[in-house]
Amino acid sequence: MLRQWSVQGEQAPGEPEPEHAGEELWEQEMKRLHSSQEPVRVLPYAMVDKRFIRQLREPEGVKTSCWQQWRRRQETAGRRLGEAAQRLARGCGLWEGALYEIGGLFGTGIQSYFTFLRFLLLLNLLTLLLTTSLVLLPLVWLHPPDPGPALNFTALQCPGDLQSQTGVPKFHNQLWNILTGRAFNNTYLFYGAYRARPESSLAYSVRLAYLLSPLACLLLCFCGVLQRMVKGLPQKLFLGQDYRSPLSAKVFSSWDFCIQGQDAATIKKHEISNEFKVELEEGRHFLLVRQQTRAQRAYRLLTYVRVNVLIGLLVAGAISAIFWATKYSQDNKEESLFLLLQYLPPGVIALVNFLGPLLFVFLVQLENYPPNMEVNLTLIWCVVLKLASLGMFSFSLGQTVLCVGRNRTSCESYGYNACDYQCWENSVGEELYKLSIFNFLLTVAVTFLVSLPRRLLVERFSGRFWAWLDREEFLVPKNVLDIVEGQTVTWMGLFYCPLLPLLNSVFIFLTFYMKKYTLLRNSRASLRRFRASSSTFFFQLVLILGLLLATVPLGYVVSSIRSSWDCGLFTNYSAPWQVVPELVALRLLPPGQRILHYLGSQAFSFPLLVLLSLVLTVCVSQSQANARAIRGLRKQLVWTAETHRG
């Protein structure tokens, strides 16, 4: 078509004015296509015209070589193969139909929660695949040795009989052993079952793989979460508050005319309605913020500080309760109430996370904040409470097991509380296992013992009380915090309980269907609507905080804590990280060792600091240039929107 246009323009120099106008339009179009950076494959032209456009864009006197043509064909084939793989993955994706139904009926904000569940499931499966391929399969192939004789603790001056304090339940109930993890003590679920021969007799280092696989999994999860977090950045961060897309554009362009079925049409109607509700709610909140006076803003700031101080005191009391509950549970294992004390720390954590948000909401509602500010303030403190609870649980457990801040004979001799914990890694793994089990059982109990009976009672009876009670409101932030807590516990247990991602994958899979049943049958959607972009950004931000919370204790244990003398792969090492210099001395030649020693020395820190400074300077300069470009585009969008309105 374009070439025919070109020929007609050359053969009709003396034609009437319409021909000259067509030639001018053709020249303008050619100039635009020649200078445009738009990919040729997205242009609305036939393949013959696209080849002609590609030839126009080539520099004069330069002919494309055979190598460039072959490389271009390979790139095109690879791109088409990738697009086909993406279409196949979307067609065979997990829960695609359920996600489409939820997004249409309840909005993209609630849909993003279920998409988040699927993302966490994929992360856990990827972590499990990495652990299995690097550790489990090589370990089975190398035939681990039988455990040697138990370590002799008679030289220690332990109070009482050691066996009475090892935490063996008096009632040998198999179900209880499963719930506490003691039934799997000698399996690959926990650290103590992993054994290997000395490094000098092994061609493949299982110890190094076991040490690096949790670190690699955490790094891989961090990259995946960070990439998803960047994709989910709210649009308003780039466009600003001054730009708002007109509702008329959504009215005339939202409908999908390819829809034929009645069910699909109903879901699409609900989806468009939810988008309108989000737009109107954001517009109303924006107007309320702009109408506030300075005095009102100052008063709001004072009440904001007061409420935050009160909530901070509540959080401090809650984490103190978790600390003492964990300490009491670990220090009183020999008593008859041991079976109940096993689940005392998870129970206190669950109680704190249940009562804390209720008290937060009550304190915030006393100040008559706007609904949007109430939700945001409560949400921030709920995140702090969840992560602080897990952090205090880890600290109190480490203080008891690793004798942090304590003076005991066994701690001085072995570096950990060897009297009460012969294999302290298994003990820590059991605590994290119990916390994961308790979180899932709590989800099951809330679904079938709280939400379901509440819905049945509301449907069965009528009256003011039942109308006030109504169905449970499906709160996306609360459900996200619950699932993030479980994922954080899984990351914390990668070293002590390597197969905990398998358990968490099963829990997430079942949680998806339980939450879907709760949403569709037992609850009503939240009155506050969320955008998918803002929801996704918030989910990933909380997940990154949980990932950092799990990484810090793991790094400290791997680099500084003495391993158990009686179990596991690192029985003869002062710290698990000591296997790295040993392997360097055994496997690398002297030049390679000198290079590694130089990379880890202070002499390498100076050029590394200079290089990082240069990279940081380039990144800051690039970000400033991007910010200027974004401001220019923002002004252009505002001007375009105002022009269309006028």
Side-chain angles (χ1 to χ4, degrees):
M1 181 181 68
L2 289 175
R3 289 188 296 180
Q4 293 176 358
W5 198 359
S6 174
V7 172
Q8 290 176 0
E10 293 176 356
Q11 291 179 350
E15 292 294 328
E17 185 66 23
E19 295 294 334
H20 290 287
E23 183 177 353
E24 291 178 359
L25 290 175
W26 174 80
E27 290 179 354
Q28 293 176 2
E29 181 68 12
M30 289 298 101
K31 290 180 180 179
R32 187 187 71 82
L33 293 175
H34 184 270
S35 60
S36 175
Q37 299 295 329
E38 190 176 6
V40 178
R41 62 186 180 90
V42 301
L43 295 176
Y45 295 112
M47 292 300 299
V48 178
D49 298 329
K50 289 182 178 180
R51 296 191 186 98
F52 180 60
I53 294 171
R54 187 177 289 111
Q55 293 176 1
L56 286 177
R57 291 184 177 181
E58 292 180 355
E60 296 183 2
V62 178
K63 185 177 180 181
T64 305
S65 63
C66 296
W67 166 254
Q68 292 176 342
Q69 293 178 359
W70 179 84
R71 185 176 179 181
R72 185 180 298 168
R73 286 195 297 268
Q74 295 298 320
E75 292 177 354
T76 303
R79 184 177 60 252
R80 291 177 180 174
L81 183 61
E83 293 174 354
Q86 291 180 359
R87 289 194 299 268
L88 181 62
R90 286 194 297 266
C92 302
L94 184 63
W95 301 325
E96 286 292 338
L99 292 174
Y100 176 75
E101 180 184 4
I102 293 171
L105 295 177
F106 300 97
T108 56
I110 293 181
Q111 181 192 25
S112 61
Y113 164 71
F114 290 91
T115 307
F116 182 65
L117 284 177
R118 184 176 63 177
F119 172 68
L120 290 183
L121 178 62
L122 294 178
L123 280 185
N124 282 278
L125 292 178
L126 188 61
T127 302
L128 180 65
L129 178 63
L130 193 63
T131 304
T132 303
S133 58
L134 294 180
V135 180
L136 283 180
L137 293 180
L139 189 64
V140 173
W141 177 262
L142 294 174
H143 301 291
D146 296 330
L151 185 66
N152 185 11
F153 285 89
T154 56
L156 290 177
Q157 298 177 359
C158 297
D161 185 15
L162 178 65
Q163 296 300 325
S164 64
Q165 299 180 15
T166 55
V168 179
K170 297 181 179 180
F171 305 98
H172 298 279
N173 190 314
Q174 189 63 26
L175 178 61
W176 183 256
N177 290 338
I178 292 175
L179 292 178
T180 57
R182 294 189 175 276
F184 310 106
N185 255 342
N186 296 322
T187 65
Y188 286 133
L189 181 63
F190 292 106
Y191 164 87
Y194 292 81
R195 299 178 181 87
R197 295 180 176 86
E199 291 297 326
S200 58
S201 62
L202 291 176
Y204 179 83
S205 178
V206 180
R207 291 182 178 86
L208 183 63
Y210 189 92
L211 177 65
L212 297 183
S213 60
L215 303 178
C217 292
L218 292 175
L219 180 61
L220 187 64
C221 292
F222 177 78
C223 294
V225 173
L226 189 63
Q227 180 185 10
R228 192 177 177 86
M229 182 179 177
V230 172
K231 288 183 178 180
L233 281 174
Q235 188 180 11
K236 64 182 180 181
L237 293 178
F238 299 103
L239 300 181
Q241 295 290 348
D242 298 331
Y243 174 77
R244 301 192 62 81
S245 59
L247 289 176
S248 58
K250 293 184 177 295
V251 171
F252 293 106
S253 62
S254 295
W255 186 255
D256 186 1
F257 291 94
C258 297
I259 293 178
Q260 297 180 357
Q262 183 64 33
D263 295 338
T266 303
I267 293 176
K268 189 64 179 178
K269 290 178 183 178
H270 284 285
E271 181 181 351
I272 297 174
S273 174
N274 291 326
E275 290 181 1
F276 287 158
K277 291 177 182 178
V278 171
E279 289 288 344
L280 294 175
E281 185 176 351
E282 288 184 353
R284 184 177 65 85
H285 174 65
F286 179 67
L287 290 176
L288 289 175
V289 172
R290 295 188 62 178
Q291 291 173 359
Q292 287 183 351
T293 63
R294 290 185 177 179
Q296 290 176 341
R297 292 177 182 175
Y299 176 75
R300 289 294 180 190
L301 180 60
L302 292 177
T303 57
Y304 184 80
V305 172
R306 180 178 61 189
V307 170
N308 279 274
V309 170
L310 292 176
I311 295 178
L313 294 176
L314 289 176
V315 171
I319 61 178
S320 299
I322 294 172
F323 171 77
W324 290 110
T326 307
K327 183 176 181 298
Y328 183 80
S329 174
Q330 296 296 321
D331 290 345
N332 296 274
K333 287 187 173 184
E334 69 276 7
E335 296 184 3
S336 59
L337 294 178
F338 169 67
L339 295 179
L340 298 179
L341 293 176
Q342 282 277 354
Y343 273 87
L344 181 62
V348 173
I349 291 175
L351 183 62
V352 164
N353 290 325
F354 174 74
L355 295 179
L358 296 180
L359 295 175
F360 299 163
V361 171
F362 175 74
L363 291 175
V364 172
Q365 287 180 350
L366 288 178
E367 303 296 339
N368 295 322
Y369 285 121
N372 185 70
M373 191 173 181
E374 287 183 5
V375 174
N376 292 336
L377 184 58
T378 306
L379 190 57
I380 291 172
W381 278 110
C382 288
V383 172
V384 173
L385 181 61
K386 286 278 187 180
L387 298 181
S389 300
L390 292 178
M392 181 53 66
F393 173 74
S394 301
F395 175 76
S396 57
L397 192 62
Q399 188 185 43
T400 304
V401 176
L402 304 177
C403 305
V404 178
R406 290 187 172 189
N407 293 322
R408 289 196 179 187
T409 306
S410 59
C411 299
E412 296 176 358
S413 303
Y414 294 94
Y416 63 96
N417 189 359
C419 285
D420 297 334
Y421 304 95
Q422 295 187 36
C423 186
W424 68 265
E425 290 90 351
N426 273 18
S427 300
V428 175
E430 287 177 10
E431 295 297 327
L432 298 175
Y433 172 88
K434 286 185 291 186
L435 191 57
S436 182
I437 290 285
F438 187 84
N439 290 338
F440 177 71
L441 294 179
L442 189 62
T443 302
V444 175
V446 170
T447 301
F448 297 105
L449 300 181
V450 178
S451 300
L452 179 59
R454 180 176 176 178
R455 190 258 298 180
L456 295 176
L457 291 174
V458 169
E459 291 179 351
R460 177 67 178 82
F461 300 101
S462 60
R464 286 186 177 181
F465 174 76
W466 302 108
W468 169 80
L469 184 62
D470 203 3
R471 295 187 177 189
E472 178 188 0
E473 184 177 2
F474 192 88
L475 299 175
V476 173
K478 177 183 178 301
N479 289 282
V480 168
L481 292 179
D482 292 339
I483 199 67
V484 167
E485 181 184 7
Q487 185 61 46
T488 304
V489 172
T490 301
W491 282 332
M492 292 170 63
L494 285 178
F495 183 78
Y496 317 102
C497 192
L499 296 185
L500 196 57
L502 174 61
L503 193 65
N504 196 39
S505 300
V506 176
F507 291 163
I508 292 176
F509 185 82
L510 297 177
T511 300
F512 181 91
Y513 290 101
M514 286 190 292
K515 293 299 181 181
K516 178 186 175 184
Y517 174 78
T518 301
L519 176 65
L520 297 178
R521 299 294 300 276
N522 298 336
S523 64
R524 54 185 173 87
S526 175
L527 297 177
R528 170 172 162 75
R529 303 287 178 174
F530 290 88
R531 280 193 183 275
S533 59
S534 59
S535 302
T536 304
F537 178 80
F538 166 72
F539 299 165
Q540 309 307 320
L541 178 61
V542 178
L543 195 60
I544 280 187
L545 294 178
L547 181 62
L548 296 178
L549 178 64
T551 304
V552 172
L554 178 62
Y556 175 70
V557 167
V558 166
S559 60
S560 305
I561 299 300
R562 182 69 171 85
S563 301
S564 297
W565 288 78
D566 198 31
C567 66
L569 293 170
F570 306 99
T571 53
N572 296 320
Y573 294 88
S574 58
W577 188 256
Q578 293 300 319
V579 72
V580 176
E582 179 185 359
L583 285 174
V584 169
L586 287 174
R587 305 292 173 86
L588 286 183
L589 297 176
Q593 296 180 22
R594 287 194 293 269
I595 292 175
L596 287 180
H597 284 304
Y598 173 73
L599 294 178
S601 63
Q602 297 180 356
F604 181 70
S605 61
F606 181 73
L608 180 63
L609 182 62
V610 173
L611 179 62
L612 291 178
S613 301
L614 293 176
V615 172
L616 183 61
T617 303
V618 173
C619 291
V620 170
S621 302
Q622 185 65 36
S623 64
Q624 292 177 352
N626 293 337
R628 289 193 294 269
I630 289 173
R631 286 195 295 268
L633 293 174
R634 183 188 301 166
K635 293 179 181 178
Q636 184 178 357
L637 286 172
V638 173
W639 178 80
T640 304
E642 292 177 352
T643 303
H644 285 295
R645 290 195 187 108

